[in-house]
Amino acid sequence: MRLILDSSVKEFLKTNNIITKEDLVKKMHEEFPVYPEKYTIVFSEITKNNKTFEVIYATNDDKETIDCISVSEKTNETMTIREYHEKMKKEKTATR
């Protein structure tokens, strides 16, 4: 399996000095020991240096790659799934 980073994840990694792409790959292999048969979205957490990061992974139709679609530091202001979905709809509409 190969990890594909969303552009927002790449930007996050540039500005964050704690979590790395290697951390994301390691967590991907923990969450997906075998590639799922059906489309799957996984919400996970990585804790490093006393900070917790929320990570969202999604499978692809090619059954070879996993997308890391979101990484954020966990705070009390973290979005709910519904808020994230609404944000993504707005971003897609804005880019069309």
Side-chain angles (χ1 to χ4, degrees):
M1 281 180 277
R2 198 176 86 228
L3 182 66
I4 307 292
L5 302 178
D6 187 71
S7 59
S8 64
V9 174
K10 289 178 184 176
E11 287 299 314
F12 182 84
L13 292 176
K14 285 179 186 176
T15 60
N16 179 289
N17 297 333
I18 299 171
I19 197 167
T20 65
K21 182 177 179 181
E22 290 75 24
D23 296 323
L24 298 174
V25 170
K26 181 180 175 187
K27 190 60 156 181
M28 173 194 70
H29 287 295
E30 288 175 15
E31 296 292 346
F32 297 97
V34 177
Y35 205 92
E37 291 294 318
K38 295 183 178 182
Y39 183 76
T40 306
I41 295 177
V42 173
F43 296 83
S44 189
E45 290 184 351
I46 297 173
T47 302
K48 188 172 179 183
N49 295 353
N50 296 322
K51 293 193 177 209
T52 302
F53 299 89
E54 295 179 327
V55 184
I56 304 174
Y57 295 102
T59 58
N60 283 306
D61 292 336
D62 65 15
K63 300 200 182 289
E64 295 177 7
T65 58
I66 304 284
D67 288 331
C68 181
I69 57 176
S70 177
V71 177
S72 60
E73 188 173 342
K74 188 173 183 178
T75 66
N76 291 336
E77 299 172 12
T78 303
M79 287 186 276
T80 64
I81 295 171
R82 180 180 305 260
E83 290 167 338
Y84 176 77
H85 180 69
E86 291 298 319
K87 176 186 171 205
M88 295 311 291
K89 277 184 13 186
K90 287 178 185 176
E91 287 178 9
K92 282 184 180 180
T93 304
T95 58
R96 289 185 184 180

